């Protein structure tokens, strides 16, 4: 708890690969008066990730990591996380799987958001599969990251209805809105029980 007192906010790194709407909502939330965390470092494997603009706009340090060599990429990531004294990590649309080297260094300190009601629909193309299977409900989940894909402890989850008229596009739009809403709330909950 010591870290949360006064101006010593917890130091977060957000990993992205694309658009960055979850990154944006995390940054916006972190700027609120009583927020107990600060986004210090943004990491991307994609030079063209749109989300980098939020880093620039908010003058947050960002780092591009070339994944042609995964070991080298993770070595670079770890050096930067350590030199920035990062307390925990948020994956937000990061399309690479972290290996044990990073997982062990940040055990139970890595969060991810997934666009389904985990443990259902792990992996990619969730909205397409939801529509094809004519599911009545879907949602999104913020969970801890462990070595199994989309399988760590659930921190926060929100359920929404799938309407008959929904297609993959409308559904992903609806779910994304909720994702942007719950990710910061999940971070808050995670901090309360872990620091
Ligand atoms: C989100 O749908 C998230 O659940 C998934 O990747 C997408 C990232 O979106 N893991 P954005 O880049 O945060 O807009």
């Amino acid at each position: 708890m010591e870290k949360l007192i006064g101006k010593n906010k917890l130091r977060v790194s957000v990993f992205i690969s694309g658009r960055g709407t979850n990154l944006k909502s995390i940054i916006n939330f972190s700027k609120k008066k009583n927020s107990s965390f600060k986004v210090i470092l943004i990491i991307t494997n994609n030079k063209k990730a749109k989300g980098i603009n939020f880093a620039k706009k908010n003058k947050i340090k960002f780092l591009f990591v070339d994944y042609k060599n995964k070991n080298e990429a993770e070595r670079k990531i770890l050096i930067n996380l350590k030199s920035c004294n990062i307390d925990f990590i948020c994956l937000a649309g990061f399309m690479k799987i972290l290996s044990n080297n990073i997982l062990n260094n940040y055990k139970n300190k890595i969060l991810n958001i997934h666009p389904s009601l985990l443990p259902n629909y792990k992996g990619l193309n969730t909205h397409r599969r939801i529509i094809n299977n004519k599911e009545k409900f879907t949602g999104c989940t913020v969970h801890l990251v462990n070595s199994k894909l989309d399988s760590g402890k659930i921190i926060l989850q929100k359920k929404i209805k799938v309407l008959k008229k929904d297609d993959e596009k409308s559904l992903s739009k609806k779910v994304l809105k909720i994702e942007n809403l719950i990710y910061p709330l999940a971070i808050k909950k995670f901090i309360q029980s872990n620091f």
Side-chain angles (χ1 to χ4, degrees):
M1 265 325 253
E2 211 173 287
K3 279 179 182 156
L4 303 180
I5 297 166
K7 284 189 176 158
N8 291 330
K9 298 189 173 208
L10 289 166
R11 301 167 69 81
V12 185
S13 176
V14 183
F15 291 23
I16 61 166
S17 295
R19 189 173 52 180
T21 62
N22 283 296
L23 167 68
K24 185 182 176 191
S25 83
I26 292 170
I27 294 174
N28 286 343
F29 192 88
S30 74
K31 291 201 283 193
K32 289 189 178 176
K33 217 169 139 207
N34 291 325
S35 143
S36 51
F37 67 93
K38 194 170 182 217
V39 180
I40 300 292
L41 173 66
I42 293 162
I43 292 182
T44 185
N45 65 310
N46 175 13
K47 262 191 189 142
K48 291 185 181 150
K50 251 179 89 186
I52 293 176
N53 293 327
F54 300 122
K56 291 182 182 160
K57 215 171 140 192
N58 289 281
K59 299 191 171 57
I60 299 171
K61 178 177 170 177
F62 69 90
L63 175 74
F64 162 72
V65 182
D66 190 345
Y67 256 77
K68 264 182 208 138
N69 179 334
K70 185 169 175 172
N71 282 342
E72 189 48 39
E74 290 201 335
R75 201 182 68 86
K76 192 172 164 189
I77 289 175
L78 215 43
I79 289 173
N80 278 273
L81 293 172
K82 296 289 173 190
S83 73
C84 289
N85 289 319
I86 295 301
D87 294 301
F88 68 95
I89 297 167
C90 292
L91 307 182
F94 187 61
M95 300 305 284
K96 296 287 175 189
I97 302 221
L98 298 175
S99 64
N100 282 338
N101 193 19
I102 295 188
L103 296 182
N104 292 339
N105 267 277
Y106 285 88
K107 205 166 180 359
N108 295 326
K109 295 283 188 292
I110 308 178
L111 283 66
N112 181 42
I113 187 150
H114 184 76
S116 80
L117 288 175
L118 291 175
N120 301 329
Y121 294 93
K122 296 173 184 175
L124 296 174
N125 303 317
T126 50
H127 305 306
R128 189 179 313 161
R129 288 185 283 142
I130 296 272
I131 295 285
N132 288 345
N133 291 345
K134 298 189 171 33
E135 295 285 0
K136 292 208 163 50
F137 292 94
T138 185
C140 49
T141 308
V142 178
H143 64 94
L144 289 179
V145 175
N146 61 17
S147 57
K148 286 192 198 131
L149 186 71
D150 301 327
S151 297
K153 187 182 162 207
I154 291 172
I155 298 171
L156 201 62
Q157 195 165 55
K158 178 105 177 125
K159 190 173 175 179
I160 66 166
K161 258 190 184 162
V162 183
L163 304 177
K164 281 219 173 86
K165 61 174 185 188
D166 273 325
D167 57 15
E168 195 181 339
K169 203 172 155 200
S170 69
L171 194 61
S172 72
K173 210 171 152 189
K174 272 200 297 199
V175 173
L176 187 66
K177 246 189 186 169
I178 308 296
E179 288 186 39
N180 296 163
L181 209 73
I182 71 160
Y183 209 158
L185 302 180
I187 294 175
K188 199 174 164 191
K189 190 174 171 197
F190 163 78
I191 289 175
Q192 277 162 359
S193 50
N194 284 278
F195 290 93

